[in-house]
Amino acid sequence: MRGAILLCLAVDEADFLTFRNQVNTLKLYHSPYEAYPFLSDASDDLRCDFELLTDELTSMTGLLAAQTEDFRSELLKVAELIYHANPTLRTRMTITPDEIDWLHARLTALQTEAAGRCRRFVLPQGCQAACTAHLLRVKAKCLVRLLYRFIQAEHDVPDALMDFCNLLSGYFFHLALVLNLRAGVQEIDYVSRNY
């Protein structure tokens, strides 16, 4: 009954959603040990989701850095850049054009080293570090997908942030190919039944 009363009081859908979010916020218990202050943001506010996903990407990049000496310092720099992207939707973009150019240059170098290793699709397999890089590739695509959802909800996303997140996916994919190459692991072509 209470929900029906609230629905009748709302003037339009936007007002109703705002009112509902305020009511729902009032019902939430906030632990004094809350792990992150934005965890209770409204479910349609994707900023916290973006921040959590970039935190996960950064942590997994640190894991990958621990799995390979060859790329350790480079991966720590990538991890730092991902953390700089973290608050962008809530504040401002702080990754510089030079840093994006650096990531693009690293991607290009990896593409050159891995040339001929992939015709279209490969199974995500191989050495442990390459498998971790493949997981990071997928997480970066999830980040891009989340940004598109944020844009579709009529929010602004800096073009440079979109470029950076897309570059991450390509970077981690080609890093996986290079890690397998250096480990002497053959790629396994995946032939789709659909494409």
Side-chain angles (χ1 to χ4, degrees), residues 53-130:
L53 190 50
T54 53
D55 192 8
E56 182 179 8
L57 267 166
T58 305
S59 299
M60 290 178 67
T61 302
L63 174 64
L64 180 55
Q67 295 171 346
T68 174
E69 269 306 307
D70 291 354
F71 293 96
R72 187 179 194 302
S73 62
E74 178 174 309
L75 286 164
L76 293 177
K77 182 173 180 173
V78 171
E80 186 176 342
L81 290 175
I82 298 168
Y83 259 162
H84 285 307
N86 179 283
T88 300
L89 298 183
R90 198 175 296 279
T91 59
R92 63 187 173 84
M93 178 72 166
T94 60
I95 297 172
T96 68
D98 287 345
E99 289 167 327
I100 293 172
D101 289 345
W102 173 82
L103 184 59
H104 183 257
R106 289 305 308 135
L107 167 58
T108 301
L110 292 169
Q111 287 173 321
T112 300
E113 186 173 348
R117 303 246 334 142
C118 173
R119 286 189 273 290
R120 187 165 170 98
F121 296 111
V122 295
L123 287 178
Q125 57 81 49
C127 67
Q128 185 175 9

Coordinates of all heavy atoms in Angstrom, one line a residue, residues 53-130:
L53 N 35.3 -1.3 -10.5 CA 35.9 -2.1 -11.6 C 37.3 -1.7 -11.9 O 38.2 -2.5 -12.1 CB 35.0 -2.0 -12.8 CG 35.3 -2.9 -14.0 CD1 35.4 -4.4 -13.6 CD2 34.2 -2.7 -15.1
T54 N 37.6 -0.4 -11.8 CA 39.0 0.1 -12.0 C 39.8 -0.4 -10.8 O 41.0 -0.7 -11.0 CB 39.1 1.6 -12.2 OG1 38.4 2.3 -11.1 CG2 38.5 2.1 -13.5
D55 N 39.3 -0.4 -9.6 CA 40.1 -1.0 -8.5 C 40.4 -2.4 -8.7 O 41.5 -2.9 -8.5 CB 39.2 -0.8 -7.2 CG 40.0 -1.0 -5.9 OD1 41.3 -1.2 -6.0 OD2 39.4 -1.0 -4.9
E56 N 39.4 -3.2 -9.2 CA 39.7 -4.6 -9.5 C 40.7 -4.7 -10.6 O 41.6 -5.6 -10.5 CB 38.4 -5.3 -10.0 CG 38.5 -6.8 -10.2 CD 37.2 -7.4 -10.6 OE1 36.2 -6.8 -10.9 OE2 37.3 -8.7 -10.7
L57 N 40.6 -3.9 -11.7 CA 41.6 -4.0 -12.8 C 43.0 -3.6 -12.3 O 44.0 -4.3 -12.6 CB 41.2 -3.0 -13.9 CG 40.4 -3.5 -15.0 CD1 39.8 -2.3 -15.8 CD2 41.2 -4.4 -15.9
T58 N 43.1 -2.7 -11.4 CA 44.4 -2.3 -10.8 C 45.0 -3.4 -10.0 O 46.2 -3.7 -10.1 CB 44.3 -1.0 -10.0 OG1 43.7 0.0 -10.8 CG2 45.6 -0.5 -9.5
S59 N 44.2 -4.0 -9.2 CA 44.6 -5.1 -8.3 C 45.1 -6.3 -9.2 O 46.1 -6.9 -8.9 CB 43.5 -5.6 -7.4 OG 43.2 -4.5 -6.5
M60 N 44.3 -6.6 -10.2 CA 44.7 -7.7 -11.1 C 45.9 -7.4 -11.9 O 46.7 -8.3 -12.2 CB 43.5 -8.1 -12.0 CG 42.3 -8.7 -11.3 SD 40.9 -9.1 -12.4 CE 41.6 -10.3 -13.4
T61 N 46.1 -6.1 -12.2 CA 47.3 -5.7 -12.9 C 48.5 -5.9 -12.0 O 49.6 -6.4 -12.5 CB 47.2 -4.3 -13.4 OG1 46.1 -4.2 -14.3 CG2 48.5 -3.8 -14.2
G62 N 48.4 -5.6 -10.7 CA 49.4 -5.9 -9.7 C 49.7 -7.4 -9.7 O 50.9 -7.8 -9.5
L63 N 48.7 -8.2 -9.7 CA 48.9 -9.7 -9.7 C 49.7 -10.1 -10.9 O 50.6 -10.9 -10.8 CB 47.5 -10.4 -9.7 CG 47.5 -11.9 -9.9 CD1 48.2 -12.6 -8.7 CD2 46.1 -12.4 -10.0
L64 N 49.3 -9.6 -12.1 CA 50.1 -9.9 -13.3 C 51.5 -9.4 -13.2 O 52.4 -10.2 -13.6 CB 49.4 -9.3 -14.5 CG 50.1 -9.6 -15.9 CD1 50.2 -11.1 -16.2 CD2 49.3 -8.9 -17.0
A65 N 51.8 -8.3 -12.6 CA 53.1 -7.8 -12.4 C 53.9 -8.8 -11.6 O 55.1 -8.9 -11.8 CB 53.1 -6.4 -11.8
A66 N 53.3 -9.4 -10.6 CA 54.0 -10.4 -9.8 C 54.3 -11.7 -10.5 O 55.1 -12.5 -10.1 CB 53.1 -10.7 -8.5
Q67 N 53.6 -11.9 -11.6 CA 53.7 -13.1 -12.4 C 54.8 -13.0 -13.5 O 55.1 -14.0 -14.2 CB 52.4 -13.6 -13.0 CG 51.4 -13.9 -12.0 CD 50.0 -14.1 -12.5 OE1 49.7 -13.8 -13.7 NE2 49.1 -14.7 -11.7
T68 N 55.3 -11.8 -13.8 CA 56.2 -11.7 -14.9 C 57.3 -10.6 -14.5 O 56.9 -9.5 -14.2 CB 55.5 -11.3 -16.2 OG1 56.5 -11.0 -17.2 CG2 54.6 -10.1 -16.1
E69 N 58.5 -11.0 -14.6 CA 59.6 -10.0 -14.4 C 59.8 -9.1 -15.6 O 60.1 -7.9 -15.4 CB 60.9 -10.8 -14.1 CG 61.2 -11.0 -12.7 CD 61.2 -9.8 -11.8 OE1 61.9 -8.8 -12.1 OE2 60.5 -9.9 -10.8
D70 N 59.6 -9.6 -16.8 CA 59.9 -8.8 -18.0 C 59.0 -7.6 -18.1 O 59.5 -6.6 -18.6 CB 59.6 -9.7 -19.3 CG 60.6 -10.8 -19.5 OD1 61.6 -10.9 -18.7 OD2 60.4 -11.6 -20.4
F71 N 57.8 -7.6 -17.6 CA 56.9 -6.5 -17.7 C 56.5 -5.9 -16.4 O 55.6 -5.0 -16.3 CB 55.6 -6.9 -18.5 CG 55.9 -7.3 -19.9 CD1 56.1 -8.6 -20.3 CD2 56.0 -6.3 -20.9 CE1 56.4 -8.9 -21.6 CE2 56.2 -6.6 -22.2 CZ 56.4 -7.9 -22.6
R72 N 57.2 -6.2 -15.3 CA 56.8 -5.8 -14.0 C 56.7 -4.3 -13.9 O 55.7 -3.7 -13.5 CB 57.8 -6.3 -12.9 CG 57.4 -6.0 -11.5 CD 58.4 -6.6 -10.5 NE 57.9 -6.7 -9.2 CZ 57.5 -5.7 -8.4 NH1 57.4 -4.5 -8.9 NH2 57.1 -5.8 -7.2
S73 N 57.8 -3.5 -14.2 CA 57.7 -2.1 -14.0 C 56.7 -1.4 -15.0 O 56.0 -0.5 -14.6 CB 59.1 -1.5 -14.2 OG 59.6 -1.7 -15.6
E74 N 56.6 -2.0 -16.2 CA 55.6 -1.4 -17.1 C 54.2 -1.6 -16.6 O 53.3 -0.7 -16.6 CB 55.7 -2.1 -18.5 CG 54.7 -1.7 -19.5 CD 55.0 -2.3 -20.9 OE1 56.2 -2.2 -21.3 OE2 54.1 -2.9 -21.4
L75 N 53.9 -2.8 -16.0 CA 52.6 -3.1 -15.5 C 52.3 -2.3 -14.3 O 51.1 -1.9 -14.1 CB 52.5 -4.6 -15.2 CG 52.3 -5.5 -16.4 CD1 52.6 -7.0 -16.1 CD2 50.9 -5.3 -17.0
L76 N 53.3 -2.0 -13.5 CA 53.0 -1.1 -12.3 C 52.7 0.3 -12.8 O 51.8 1.0 -12.2 CB 54.2 -1.1 -11.4 CG 54.5 -2.4 -10.7 CD1 55.8 -2.3 -9.8 CD2 53.3 -2.8 -9.8
K77 N 53.3 0.8 -13.9 CA 52.9 2.1 -14.5 C 51.5 2.0 -15.0 O 50.7 2.9 -14.8 CB 53.8 2.4 -15.6 CG 53.5 3.8 -16.2 CD 54.6 4.3 -17.2 CE 54.2 5.6 -17.8 NZ 55.2 6.2 -18.6
V78 N 51.1 0.9 -15.7 CA 49.7 0.8 -16.1 C 48.7 0.7 -15.0 O 47.7 1.4 -15.0 CB 49.6 -0.5 -17.0 CG1 48.1 -0.8 -17.3 CG2 50.4 -0.4 -18.3
A79 N 49.1 0.0 -13.9 CA 48.2 0.0 -12.7 C 48.0 1.4 -12.1 O 46.9 1.8 -11.8 CB 48.9 -0.9 -11.6
E80 N 49.1 2.2 -12.1 CA 49.0 3.6 -11.6 C 48.0 4.4 -12.5 O 47.2 5.1 -12.0 CB 50.3 4.2 -11.5 CG 50.3 5.6 -10.9 CD 51.7 6.2 -10.8 OE1 52.7 5.4 -10.8 OE2 51.8 7.4 -10.6
L81 N 48.1 4.2 -13.8 CA 47.2 4.9 -14.7 C 45.8 4.5 -14.5 O 44.9 5.4 -14.5 CB 47.7 4.7 -16.2 CG 49.0 5.3 -16.6 CD1 49.4 4.9 -18.0 CD2 48.9 6.9 -16.4
I82 N 45.6 3.2 -14.3 CA 44.2 2.8 -14.1 C 43.6 3.4 -12.8 O 42.5 3.9 -12.8 CB 44.1 1.2 -14.0 CG1 44.5 0.6 -15.3 CG2 42.7 0.8 -13.6 CD1 44.7 -0.9 -15.2
Y83 N 44.5 3.5 -11.8 CA 44.0 4.2 -10.5 C 43.7 5.6 -10.8 O 42.8 6.2 -10.2 CB 45.0 4.0 -9.4 CG 44.6 2.9 -8.4 CD1 45.6 2.4 -7.5 CD2 43.3 2.5 -8.2 CE1 45.3 1.4 -6.6 CE2 43.0 1.5 -7.3 CZ 44.0 1.0 -6.5 OH 43.7 0.0 -5.5
H84 N 44.5 6.3 -11.6 CA 44.2 7.7 -12.0 C 42.9 7.8 -12.7 O 42.2 8.9 -12.6 CB 45.4 8.3 -12.8 CG 46.6 8.6 -12.0 ND1 46.6 9.4 -10.8 CD2 47.9 8.2 -12.2 CE1 47.8 9.5 -10.3 NE2 48.6 8.8 -11.1
A85 N 42.5 6.8 -13.5 CA 41.2 6.8 -14.1 C 40.1 6.7 -13.2 O 38.9 7.1 -13.4 CB 41.2 5.7 -15.2
N86 N 40.3 6.0 -12.1 CA 39.3 5.6 -11.1 C 38.3 6.7 -10.7 O 37.1 6.5 -10.8 CB 40.0 5.0 -9.8 CG 39.0 4.6 -8.8 OD1 38.5 5.4 -8.1 ND2 38.8 3.3 -8.6
P87 N 38.7 7.9 -10.3 CA 37.7 8.9 -9.9 C 37.2 9.8 -11.0 O 36.4 10.7 -10.7 CB 38.5 9.7 -8.9 CG 39.9 9.7 -9.4 CD 40.1 8.3 -10.0
T88 N 37.5 9.5 -12.2 CA 37.2 10.4 -13.3 C 35.7 10.7 -13.5 O 35.4 11.9 -13.7 CB 37.8 9.9 -14.7 OG1 39.2 9.7 -14.6 CG2 37.5 10.8 -15.8
L89 N 34.9 9.8 -13.3 CA 33.4 10.0 -13.5 C 32.9 10.9 -12.4 O 31.9 11.6 -12.6 CB 32.6 8.7 -13.6 CG 33.0 7.8 -14.8 CD1 32.1 6.6 -14.7 CD2 32.9 8.5 -16.1
R90 N 33.5 10.9 -11.3 CA 33.1 11.6 -10.1 C 33.8 13.0 -10.0 O 33.2 14.0 -9.4 CB 33.4 10.9 -8.8 CG 32.6 11.3 -7.6 CD 32.8 10.4 -6.4 NE 32.4 9.1 -6.6 CZ 31.1 8.6 -6.5 NH1 30.2 9.5 -6.1 NH2 30.8 7.4 -6.7
T91 N 35.0 13.1 -10.6 CA 35.7 14.3 -10.5 C 36.1 14.9 -11.9 O 35.3 15.5 -12.5 CB 37.0 14.1 -9.6 OG1 37.8 13.1 -10.2 CG2 36.6 13.7 -8.2
R92 N 37.3 14.5 -12.3 CA 37.8 15.0 -13.6 C 38.9 14.0 -14.1 O 39.5 13.2 -13.4 CB 38.4 16.4 -13.5 CG 39.6 16.5 -12.6 CD 40.1 17.9 -12.4 NE 41.1 18.0 -11.4 CZ 42.4 17.8 -11.6 NH1 42.8 17.5 -12.8 NH2 43.3 17.8 -10.6
M93 N 39.2 14.1 -15.4 CA 40.2 13.3 -16.1 C 41.6 13.8 -15.8 O 41.8 15.0 -16.0 CB 39.9 13.2 -17.6 CG 40.9 12.4 -18.4 SD 40.7 10.7 -18.1 CE 41.6 10.0 -19.5
T94 N 42.4 13.0 -15.2 CA 43.8 13.4 -14.9 C 44.8 12.6 -15.7 O 46.0 13.0 -15.6 CB 44.1 13.3 -13.4 OG1 43.9 11.9 -13.0 CG2 43.2 14.2 -12.6
I95 N 44.4 11.6 -16.4 CA 45.4 11.0 -17.3 C 45.7 11.9 -18.5 O 44.8 12.4 -19.1 CB 44.8 9.6 -17.8 CG1 44.6 8.7 -16.6 CG2 45.8 9.0 -18.8 CD1 43.9 7.4 -17.0
T96 N 47.0 12.1 -18.7 CA 47.4 13.1 -19.7 C 47.4 12.5 -21.1 O 47.5 11.2 -21.3 CB 48.8 13.6 -19.4 OG1 49.7 12.6 -19.6 CG2 48.9 14.2 -18.0
P97 N 47.3 13.3 -22.2 CA 47.5 12.8 -23.5 C 48.8 12.1 -23.7 O 48.9 11.1 -24.5 CB 47.4 14.1 -24.4 CG 46.6 15.0 -23.6 CD 47.0 14.7 -22.2
D98 N 49.9 12.5 -23.1 CA 51.2 11.8 -23.2 C 51.1 10.4 -22.6 O 51.7 9.5 -23.2 CB 52.3 12.6 -22.5 CG 52.7 13.9 -23.3 OD1 52.4 14.0 -24.5 OD2 53.4 14.7 -22.7
E99 N 50.4 10.3 -21.5 CA 50.2 8.9 -20.9 C 49.4 8.0 -21.8 O 49.7 6.8 -22.0 CB 49.6 9.0 -19.5 CG 50.6 9.7 -18.6 CD 50.0 10.1 -17.2 OE1 48.8 10.5 -17.2 OE2 50.7 10.1 -16.2
I100 N 48.4 8.5 -22.5 CA 47.6 7.7 -23.4 C 48.5 7.4 -24.6 O 48.4 6.2 -25.1 CB 46.3 8.5 -23.8 CG1 45.4 8.6 -22.6 CG2 45.6 7.8 -25.0 CD1 44.2 9.5 -22.8
D101 N 49.3 8.3 -25.1 CA 50.2 8.0 -26.2 C 51.2 7.0 -25.8 O 51.5 6.1 -26.6 CB 50.9 9.3 -26.6 CG 50.0 10.3 -27.3 OD1 48.9 9.9 -27.8 OD2 50.4 11.5 -27.5
W102 N 51.7 7.0 -24.6 CA 52.6 6.0 -24.1 C 52.0 4.6 -24.1 O 52.6 3.6 -24.6 CB 53.1 6.3 -22.7 CG 53.9 5.2 -22.1 CD1 55.2 5.0 -22.3 CD2 53.4 4.1 -21.2 NE1 55.6 3.8 -21.6 CE2 54.5 3.3 -20.9 CE3 52.2 3.8 -20.7 CZ2 54.4 2.2 -20.1 CZ3 52.1 2.7 -19.9 CH2 53.2 1.9 -19.6
L103 N 50.7 4.5 -23.6 CA 50.0 3.2 -23.6 C 49.8 2.7 -25.1 O 50.0 1.5 -25.4 CB 48.7 3.3 -22.9 CG 47.9 2.0 -22.7 CD1 48.7 1.0 -22.0 CD2 46.6 2.3 -22.0
H104 N 49.5 3.6 -26.0 CA 49.3 3.3 -27.4 C 50.6 2.8 -28.0 O 50.6 1.8 -28.7 CB 48.7 4.5 -28.2 CG 48.5 4.1 -29.6 ND1 49.3 4.5 -30.6 CD2 47.5 3.4 -30.2 CE1 48.8 4.1 -31.8 NE2 47.7 3.4 -31.5
A105 N 51.7 3.4 -27.6 CA 53.0 3.0 -28.1 C 53.4 1.6 -27.6 O 53.9 0.8 -28.3 CB 54.1 4.0 -27.7
R106 N 53.0 1.4 -26.3 CA 53.3 0.0 -25.8 C 52.5 -1.0 -26.5 O 52.9 -2.1 -26.8 CB 53.1 0.0 -24.3 CG 54.1 0.8 -23.5 CD 55.5 0.4 -23.7 NE 55.7 -1.1 -23.5 CZ 56.3 -1.9 -24.4 NH1 56.9 -1.4 -25.5 NH2 56.4 -3.2 -24.1
L107 N 51.2 -0.7 -26.8 CA 50.3 -1.6 -27.5 C 50.9 -1.9 -28.9 O 51.0 -3.1 -29.3 CB 48.9 -1.0 -27.6 CG 48.0 -1.7 -28.6 CD1 47.7 -3.2 -28.3 CD2 46.6 -0.9 -28.6
T108 N 51.4 -0.9 -29.5 CA 51.9 -1.0 -30.9 C 53.2 -1.9 -30.8 O 53.4 -2.8 -31.7 CB 52.3 0.4 -31.5 OG1 51.1 1.1 -31.6 CG2 52.9 0.2 -32.9
A109 N 54.0 -1.7 -29.8 CA 55.2 -2.5 -29.7 C 54.9 -4.0 -29.5 O 55.5 -4.9 -30.0 CB 56.1 -2.0 -28.6
L110 N 53.9 -4.2 -28.6 CA 53.4 -5.6 -28.4 C 52.8 -6.2 -29.6 O 53.1 -7.4 -29.9 CB 52.4 -5.6 -27.2 CG 52.9 -5.3 -25.8 CD1 51.8 -5.1 -24.9 CD2 53.9 -6.3 -25.3
Q111 N 52.0 -5.5 -30.4 CA 51.5 -6.0 -31.7 C 52.6 -6.4 -32.6 O 52.5 -7.4 -33.3 CB 50.6 -4.9 -32.3 CG 49.3 -4.7 -31.7 CD 48.5 -3.5 -32.2 OE1 49.1 -2.4 -32.6 NE2 47.2 -3.6 -32.3
T112 N 53.7 -5.6 -32.7 CA 54.8 -5.9 -33.5 C 55.5 -7.2 -33.1 O 55.8 -8.1 -33.9 CB 55.8 -4.7 -33.5 OG1 55.1 -3.5 -34.0 CG2 57.0 -5.0 -34.4
E113 N 55.7 -7.3 -31.8 CA 56.4 -8.5 -31.3 C 55.5 -9.8 -31.5 O 56.0 -10.8 -31.7 CB 56.7 -8.4 -29.8 CG 57.6 -9.5 -29.3 CD 58.1 -9.3 -27.9 OE1 58.0 -8.2 -27.3 OE2 58.6 -10.3 -27.3
A114 N 54.2 -9.6 -31.4 CA 53.3 -10.8 -31.5 C 52.8 -11.0 -32.9 O 51.9 -11.8 -33.1 CB 52.1 -10.6 -30.5
A115 N 53.3 -10.3 -33.9 CA 52.8 -10.3 -35.2 C 52.7 -11.8 -35.7 O 53.7 -12.6 -35.5 CB 53.7 -9.5 -36.2
G116 N 51.6 -12.2 -36.3 CA 51.4 -13.5 -36.8 C 50.9 -14.6 -35.8 O 50.7 -15.7 -36.2
R117 N 50.8 -14.2 -34.6 CA 50.4 -15.1 -33.5 C 48.9 -15.3 -33.5 O 48.4 -16.3 -32.9 CB 50.9 -14.7 -32.1 CG 52.3 -14.5 -32.1 CD 53.1 -15.4 -31.2 NE 52.6 -16.0 -30.1 CZ 52.9 -17.3 -29.7 NH1 53.7 -18.0 -30.5 NH2 52.5 -17.9 -28.7
C118 N 48.1 -14.4 -34.1 CA 46.7 -14.5 -34.0 C 46.1 -14.1 -35.3 O 46.3 -13.0 -35.8 CB 46.2 -13.5 -32.9 SG 44.4 -13.3 -32.8
R119 N 45.3 -15.0 -35.9 CA 44.7 -14.6 -37.2 C 43.3 -13.9 -36.9 O 43.0 -13.0 -37.6 CB 44.5 -15.9 -38.0 CG 45.7 -16.4 -38.7 CD 45.5 -17.5 -39.7 NE 45.4 -18.8 -39.1 CZ 46.5 -19.5 -38.6 NH1 47.6 -18.9 -38.6 NH2 46.3 -20.7 -38.2
R120 N 42.5 -14.4 -36.0 CA 41.3 -13.8 -35.7 C 41.0 -13.9 -34.2 O 40.9 -12.9 -33.5 CB 40.1 -14.4 -36.6 CG 38.8 -13.7 -36.4 CD 37.9 -14.1 -37.5 NE 36.5 -13.5 -37.3 CZ 36.1 -12.4 -37.8 NH1 36.8 -11.7 -38.6 NH2 34.8 -12.0 -37.5
F121 N 40.7 -15.1 -33.8 CA 40.5 -15.4 -32.4 C 41.4 -16.4 -31.9 O 41.8 -17.3 -32.6 CB 39.0 -15.9 -32.1 CG 38.0 -14.9 -32.5 CD1 37.1 -15.2 -33.6 CD2 37.7 -13.8 -31.8 CE1 36.1 -14.3 -33.9 CE2 36.7 -12.9 -32.1 CZ 35.9 -13.2 -33.2
V122 N 41.8 -16.3 -30.6 CA 42.6 -17.4 -29.9 C 41.8 -17.8 -28.7 O 41.1 -17.0 -28.1 CB 44.0 -17.0 -29.6 CG1 44.8 -16.7 -30.9 CG2 44.1 -15.8 -28.7
L123 N 42.0 -19.0 -28.2 CA 41.5 -19.4 -26.9 C 42.4 -18.8 -25.9 O 43.6 -18.7 -26.0 CB 41.6 -21.0 -26.8 CG 40.6 -21.8 -27.6 CD1 40.9 -23.3 -27.3 CD2 39.2 -21.4 -27.2
P124 N 41.7 -18.2 -24.8 CA 42.5 -17.6 -23.7 C 43.1 -18.7 -22.9 O 42.5 -19.3 -22.0 CB 41.4 -16.8 -23.0 CG 40.1 -17.4 -23.3 CD 40.3 -18.1 -24.7
Q125 N 44.3 -19.1 -23.2 CA 45.1 -20.1 -22.5 C 46.5 -19.9 -22.6 O 47.0 -18.9 -23.1 CB 44.7 -21.5 -23.2 CG 45.1 -21.5 -24.7 CD 46.5 -21.8 -25.0 OE1 47.1 -22.7 -24.4 NE2 47.1 -21.0 -25.9
G126 N 47.3 -20.7 -22.0 CA 48.8 -20.6 -22.1 C 49.4 -20.5 -20.7 O 48.9 -21.1 -19.7
C127 N 50.5 -19.8 -20.6 CA 51.1 -19.6 -19.3 C 50.2 -18.8 -18.4 O 49.3 -18.2 -18.8 CB 52.5 -19.0 -19.5 SG 52.4 -17.3 -20.0
Q128 N 50.5 -19.0 -17.1 CA 49.7 -18.3 -16.1 C 49.6 -16.8 -16.3 O 48.5 -16.2 -16.2 CB 50.2 -18.6 -14.7 CG 49.3 -18.0 -13.6 CD 49.8 -18.4 -12.2 OE1 50.9 -19.0 -12.0 NE2 49.0 -18.1 -11.2
A129 N 50.7 -16.1 -16.6 CA 50.7 -14.7 -16.8 C 49.8 -14.3 -18.0 O 49.1 -13.3 -18.0 CB 52.1 -14.2 -17.0
A130 N 49.9 -15.1 -19.1 CA 49.0 -14.8 -20.3 C 47.6 -15.0 -19.9 O 46.7 -14.2 -20.4 CB 49.4 -15.7 -21.4

